[in-house]
Amino acid sequence: MSSGVATPNLSKPVDVAEYLFTRLYQLGIRSVHGLPGDFNLVALDYLPKANLKWVGNCNELNAAYAADGYARVNGMGAIVTTFGVGELSAANGLAGAYSEHVPVVHIVGCPSTISQRSGLLLHHTLGNGDFNTFANMSTPISCAVAKLTDPSQIANQIDATLRECYLKSRPVYIMFPTDMVEKKVEGERLETKINLDEPANDVEREDYVVNVLLKSLHAAKKPVVLVDACAIRHRVLDEVHGLIDKTKLPVFVTPMGKSAVDETHPSFGGVYAGTASAPPVKEMVEGSDLVISIGAMKSDFNTAGFSYRLSQLASIDLHSDSCTVRYSEYPGTRMKGVLRKVIQQVDVSQIVALPPPKLPAIESESDPKAVINQAWLWERVDRFLREGDIVVTETGTANFGIWETRFPANVTALNQTLWGSIGWAVGACQGAALATQDESGVQKARRTILFEGDGSFQLTAQEVSTMIRHRLDVILFVICNDGYTIERYIHGMDAEYNDVVNWRYRDLPAAFGGTEETAKSYAVHNRGELEALLADQDFNDRKGLRFVELYMPREDAPKSLILTAEAGAKRNAMTE
């Protein structure tokens, strides 16, 4: 740790590691994911001094997924890896966070500046004396890269990099040499928190966009609001609800925007995903003469194979870094400022607010011996969910099926629809459950519920041990249907490469160190067994891990998945 030697020109000298970790704490982070390695070990000794908890994951990829899930619930996450072998293992997870606008701080312990200058042939290198290769690899998946090599600049670098992480809501990369860990920087800076205020919009541009939007809204006969993932990531949900509360406009979400809007709100109309939407939803959104789109991410899986049928002439798109009014784009005009002015200035007497479409009634009775199919499951789930739950769905049947589930108030949904790395959800679930535990404590933490395919689960199953280790409140449903269902519908329904080995899943919590107190396993094979389990008070109220084998037919899939997979297969087959 610190040598205690005074440093000239610094009024309150602190070690760099303490400065960095204290900044993380000030940004709301309470737990740091990752794995130890010889280039980060001394830095990790400083975590307790900053009141940060070390998670200790099973591998760096899982840790990156977990830091992503933690950030989605907490607002920001952090991961520490070691140079080369560790950071490259985490790269896929961090690329997903970049793709999906999730703010994660990636700290990489690396060889000393002396070793780097000398070009030593060190372990964890490519053996060519180039110590910037891996930082260069991470640059395209980071919104900022900081190499902490000059103590006189390190504090500025850390603050600027963390500010970028927050404002751009994307990962940053901090290269932390071993000989910089105990260098001194000005600790007095820590008395002032990093300024996280968004830059103000250009007033003339912002006012123009607001005026056009208001004129269009006041003239529209069938306006709707469509909310997507970047409204969540870039923190405008208060403004979204302010708009719909004041105008009473019908509001819809995309699959990636699921839970962005309170689904008990009288203006909520459902999930819009082009041709995969419920018919009344599709009719209302596509028949609108003004779509106010907030935070759109129009990816293939988010639009059911690019099946949107929305006229750009009837659309106003609000984004984190620009606004588009019909065909005119206004770079640098951020949606938060625009929305706030719209809410202030809108004349509700001129608003035509149609009621949202009515959703069909859910069947309450079912043959208890019937198989659990996709159509039945996702409509049944909403009666199991509670206000405040965190719901994590894996790429595959769960990501698509959850569209049909109506959430109680204050539910947070996590999915990775754009990046779509199977196995992500297990790590993300661990991170999300830890984030709510950090916020509220073990006894008052929100339930975190994961729906995970058996094929995806096999990629990242080890993180169940981390859930048990930290006594996280998790309900984990493994959908046992013999392999990669989404892949089967794209290509190879009966192909061997889409099969997986049938594990004894329910035995895993015990194998991973679970006890009767910390983990309990279940298996359900039909609707009656699932109904009984979901109604069981102990299952609902006990703390710790509840691990459920949920058996479903091999070739059964949500309609939305089938439509999207068909569109994907057609695109893959295109030759020009």
Side-chain angles (χ1 to χ4, degrees):
M1 290 277 187
S2 172
S3 64
V5 178
T7 305
N9 305 320
L10 297 179
S11 59
K12 291 185 177 180
V14 297
D15 293 359
V16 171
E18 182 180 349
Y19 185 94
L20 172 58
F21 291 143
T22 300
R23 282 304 199 201
L24 295 186
Y25 186 90
Q26 290 176 347
L27 290 170
I29 295 170
R30 297 294 179 266
S31 295
V32 175
H33 291 86
L35 276 85
D38 60 332
F39 294 129
N40 65 30
L41 295 175
V42 176
L44 295 180
D45 287 339
Y46 285 80
L47 288 171
K49 193 169 185 178
N51 294 314
L52 294 175
K53 178 169 64 178
W54 176 245
V55 178
N57 297 92
C58 298
N59 60 57
E60 289 87 356
L61 176 59
N62 291 358
Y65 290 156
D68 177 315
Y70 187 96
R72 293 181 192 230
V73 172
N74 180 67
M76 188 177 286
I79 174 175
V80 176
T81 64
T82 198
F83 185 73
V85 294
E87 60 179 304
L88 293 186
S89 180
N92 171 36
L94 291 158
Y98 186 91
S99 170
E100 301 228 345
H101 291 249
V102 180
V104 176
V105 181
H106 184 196
I107 301 166
V108 180
C110 68
S112 70
T113 59
I114 298 170
S115 296
Q116 293 184 48
R117 286 195 301 270
S118 301
L120 297 181
L121 191 64
L122 295 181
H123 62 288
H124 298 344
T125 73
L126 298 179
N128 60 3
D130 185 350
F131 291 87
N132 290 308
T133 300
F134 309 127
N136 293 339
M137 289 180 180
S138 287
T139 297
I141 57 172
S142 308
C143 69
V145 172
K147 300 175 182 179
L148 307 185
T149 58
D150 181 354
S152 68
Q153 297 299 318
I154 284 177
N156 284 328
Q157 286 179 284
I158 289 172
D159 290 359
T161 302
L162 296 180
R163 174 176 162 80
E164 285 291 284
C165 183
Y166 179 85
L167 291 181
K168 292 185 178 177
S169 195
R170 275 182 156 154
V172 294
Y173 178 98
I174 297 177
M175 191 172 177
F176 197 3
T178 56
D179 59 337
M180 292 293 115
V181 170
E182 296 178 314
K183 295 293 186 183
K184 302 296 181 183
V185 293
E186 182 54 76
E188 192 173 55
R189 295 172 60 112
L190 294 172
E191 297 173 10
T192 303
K193 292 185 178 180
I194 298 171
N195 178 13
L196 301 178
D197 294 336
E198 282 191 3
N201 287 333
D202 177 87
V203 175
E204 288 188 8
R205 283 191 175 194
E206 181 179 81
D207 286 345
Y208 179 80
V209 173
V210 170
N211 288 336
V212 174
L213 195 159
L214 288 173
K215 285 180 181 178
S216 301
L217 180 55
H218 292 152
K221 302 302 181 185
K222 297 182 289 183
V224 301
V225 178
L226 181 60
V227 185
D228 208 337
C230 278
I232 304 171
R233 309 287 196 270
H234 293 276
R235 301 169 289 274
V236 296
L237 296 189
D238 286 345
E239 288 77 11
V240 167
H241 283 87
L243 178 65
I244 61 176
D245 286 343
K246 188 169 184 178
T247 64
K248 312 297 191 253
L249 290 173
V251 59
F252 302 85
V253 296
T254 68
M256 288 183 73
K258 184 78 172 157
S259 83
V261 173
D262 178 0
E263 298 190 9
T264 66
H265 195 286
S267 295
F268 181 71
V271 176
Y272 175 70
T275 57
S277 311
V281 171
K282 184 177 186 294
E283 180 181 354
M284 187 167 206
V285 175
E286 296 181 357
S288 171
D289 55 356
L290 177 65
V291 177
I292 302 173
S293 172
I294 304 174
M297 297 186 76
K298 298 177 184 177
S299 71
D300 49 356
F301 280 15
N302 202 32
T303 61
F306 302 113
S307 64
Y308 273 21
R309 297 294 180 265
L310 304 179
S311 169
Q312 192 60 43
L313 287 172
S315 300
I316 295 178
D317 298 308
L318 308 181
H319 295 280
S320 60
D321 58 358
S322 66
C323 292
T324 302
V325 179
R326 300 182 177 92
Y327 288 100
S328 299
E329 185 174 353
Y330 299 88
T333 304
R334 299 170 184 82
M335 58 186 170
K336 186 183 286 284
V338 171
L339 285 169
R340 287 179 174 178
K341 283 190 176 179
V342 168
I343 294 167
Q344 291 170 359
Q345 298 176 24
V346 66
D347 182 354
V348 294
S349 69
Q350 297 187 57
I351 299 294
V352 177
L354 300 176
K358 291 185 178 179
L359 297 178
I362 298 172
E363 295 183 19
S364 58
E365 295 185 5
S366 178
D367 179 1
K369 294 183 180 179
V371 298
I372 303 166
N373 62 10
Q374 298 284 339
W376 180 83
L377 173 66
W378 301 109
E379 291 188 345
R380 175 60 184 87
V381 164
D382 58 4
R383 286 179 282 134
F384 165 66
L385 297 179
R386 294 176 176 175
E387 181 172 347
D389 281 344
I390 299 168
V391 180
V392 188
T393 50
E394 183 61 88
T395 296
T397 57
N399 251 10
F400 290 89
I402 202 69
W403 301 3
E404 308 302 324
T405 302
R406 195 68 174 257
F407 287 161
N410 301 316
V411 166
T412 299
L414 276 61
N415 63 71
Q416 202 193 44
T417 302
L418 176 54
W419 186 245
S421 182
I422 63 172
W424 164 85
V426 180
C429 173
Q430 181 264 292
L434 183 58
T436 183
Q437 180 175 289
D438 281 354
E439 180 183 25
S440 304
V442 173
Q443 295 304 316
K444 295 184 179 180
R446 302 158 66 187
R447 299 193 308 181
T448 302
I449 301 166
L450 168 61
F451 294 96
E452 178 76 13
D454 52 2
S456 300
F457 179 74
Q458 293 191 9
L459 274 75
T460 49
Q462 311 99 308
E463 231 47 50
V464 169
S465 69
T466 310
M467 299 176 191
I468 294 170
R469 176 183 183 181
H470 293 281
R471 295 178 173 265
L472 301 180
D473 190 16
V474 171
I475 301 174
L476 196 165
F477 294 93
V478 176
I479 298 171
C480 301
N481 57 3
D482 297 336
Y484 304 119
T485 301
I486 188 170
E487 313 287 7
R488 294 190 196 282
Y489 274 93
I490 294 174
H491 183 79
M493 180 61 73
D494 298 311
E496 184 179 11
Y497 50 71
N498 284 326
D499 298 337
V500 298
V501 175
N502 287 319
W503 289 3
R504 294 200 299 269
Y505 295 100
R506 78 187 82 175
D507 294 342
L508 290 177
F512 287 141
T515 65
E516 291 183 3
E517 179 185 359
T518 60
K520 189 171 181 178
S521 294
Y522 312 81
V524 290
H525 298 82
N526 57 46
R527 297 182 188 184
E529 291 178 357
L530 181 58
E531 288 279 14
L533 181 65
L534 298 185
D536 183 78
Q537 185 172 351
D538 179 72
F539 176 75
N540 279 275
D541 294 342
R542 70 181 288 129
K543 294 295 181 180
L545 175 65
R546 282 138 287 175
F547 188 99
V548 184
E549 289 181 349
L550 177 62
Y551 287 89
M552 303 184 72
R554 170 187 169 115
E555 296 181 10
D556 183 36
K559 179 182 176 182
S560 53
L561 182 151
I562 296 172
L563 290 172
T564 304
E566 288 175 350
K570 289 178 182 177
R571 279 193 310 280
N572 292 344
M574 292 174 64
T575 58
E576 59 180 50

